[in-house]
DNA sequence: TCTTAAATATGATAATTATCATATTCTTAT
DNA sequence: ATAAGAATATGATAATTATCATATTTAAGA
């Protein structure tokens, strides 16, 4: 469902949600290691997220990546769409172009309602929500 | 979520569910075209499914692929597992090895119940069920 | 038993995705 | 101003997945 890239991106962003802030910027190598994702790989993803303003960054000495309050208010889904695009999550599981409510593919009735619900949930949950859950020990991030 | 291969396999198997039988074997080229999947590609998948006894086949003149009554009774999930293996559908979305109920990843509570339900549905629905739905115009197969 | 028509086995090529590497640009502090 | 430390831009390589091709084996019918 998700590419490797999205998974890595989510881990990194959630790591930032928990550990960074406008006054606590974190550089690539200090993100890559704890979430164990190859440094060069996650660097590229973070750059893309930054360009799309899903996360924030500053260059140079004392620079790094971080989330602003506004970044934290975003739905998780933003991260997914930013990296994988919207098509992957929304297209028919059998890739039938014409699949829709009126001309459903054989799996549509099974899959479609669940996908809708999943997307709904990923739209509702913000990065901040997940960050709070992690910080209160309701869920766990690394490895 | 699914590979291209699984999608193609599902289309082919459902096509066979609707159109084939022990007395109506269908050869590769007559499957590939209507479900529009490259012939050489679907041939390979059909061979694999046949080897795993998800579908049936006979060689030589008058040969082809088909589903027996027993094949038809199988859950859809069998096709998916046969091609993609079980890991893909069941692993943590973030690929955290340790993710489970006791140490859930941040997306676990969102994703896990839906995945369980999806797998349950794919286990309950047989190829025959879907075939009947297609034949009664409740869902549509090709393109 | 020979010919033909089909699946089967095997492997080659192409496309996509994942991974790695590095020169350039920007920012801060000296 | 300049030096150093960071992200940024760009692109190269590797691995996986998708696609294509073909020689071999099997079954049926003449």
């Amino acid at each position: 469902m998700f590419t490797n890239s999205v998974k890595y991106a989510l881990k990194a962003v959630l790591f930032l949600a928990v550990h960074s802030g406008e006054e606590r910027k974190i550089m690539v190598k200090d993100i890559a290691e704890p979430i164990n994702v190859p440094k060069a790989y996650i660097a590229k993803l973070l750059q893309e997220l930054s360009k799309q303003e899903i996360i924030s960054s500053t260059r140079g000495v004392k620079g790094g990546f971080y989330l602003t309050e506004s970044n934290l208010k975003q739905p998780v889904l933003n991260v997914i769409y930013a990296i994988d695009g919207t098509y992957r999550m929304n297209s028919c599981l059998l890739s039938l172009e014409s699949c829709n409510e009126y001309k459903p593919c054989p799996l549509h009735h099974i899959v479609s309602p669940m996908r809708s619900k999943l997307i709904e949930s990923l739209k509702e949950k913000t990065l901040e929500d997940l960050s709070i859950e992690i910080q209160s020990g309701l869920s766990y991030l690394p490895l």
Side-chain angles (χ1 to χ4, degrees), chain A:
Chain A
M1 171 130 60
F2 296 152
T3 57
N4 238 329
S5 291
V6 161
K7 296 176 188 181
Y8 290 172
L10 282 168
K11 288 212 272 184
V13 170
L14 291 175
F15 182 83
L16 288 174
V18 172
H19 294 103
S20 80
E22 315 224 16
E23 303 305 321
R24 263 195 297 170
K25 294 160 189 166
I26 309 184
M27 55 187 177
V28 169
K29 79 174 169 53
D30 293 330
I31 299 169
E33 205 198 325
I35 65 173
N36 51 5
V37 168
K39 178 166 154 284
Y41 195 171
I42 199 63
K44 204 168 200 172
L45 294 172
L46 288 168
Q47 284 165 30
E48 181 62 26
L49 291 168
S50 176
K51 195 197 289 184
Q52 295 195 38
E53 302 187 306
I54 307 289
I55 66 177
S56 307
S57 67
T58 54
R59 298 181 177 190
V61 169
K62 293 264 169 186
F65 294 94
Y66 62 100
L67 300 192
T68 62
E69 279 306 311
S70 150
N71 292 148
L72 278 169
K73 299 294 185 210
Q74 293 177 103
V76 185
L77 193 60
N78 279 18
V79 178
I80 297 168
Y81 282 174
I83 300 296
D84 270 359
T86 60
Y87 183 76
R88 195 179 191 102
M89 277 234 83
N90 290 283
S91 59
C92 168
L93 273 201
L94 298 186
S95 304
L96 304 186
E97 280 309 326
S98 63
C99 174
N100 58 48
E101 282 308 312
Y102 305 105
K103 195 158 185 250
C105 80
L107 294 185
H108 190 86
H109 296 307
I110 298 178
V111 167
S112 181
M114 288 184 209
R115 175 166 47 212
S116 304
K117 241 192 265 176
L118 178 60
I119 292 177
E120 212 36 61
S121 304
L122 294 171
K123 228 177 249 172
E124 267 172 26
K125 283 273 182 188
T126 65
L127 298 177
E128 189 169 38
D129 292 336
L130 292 185
S131 165
I132 289 170
E133 286 180 24
I134 296 168
Q135 288 175 57
S136 25
L138 295 172
S139 66
Y140 300 84
L141 229 205
L143 230 144

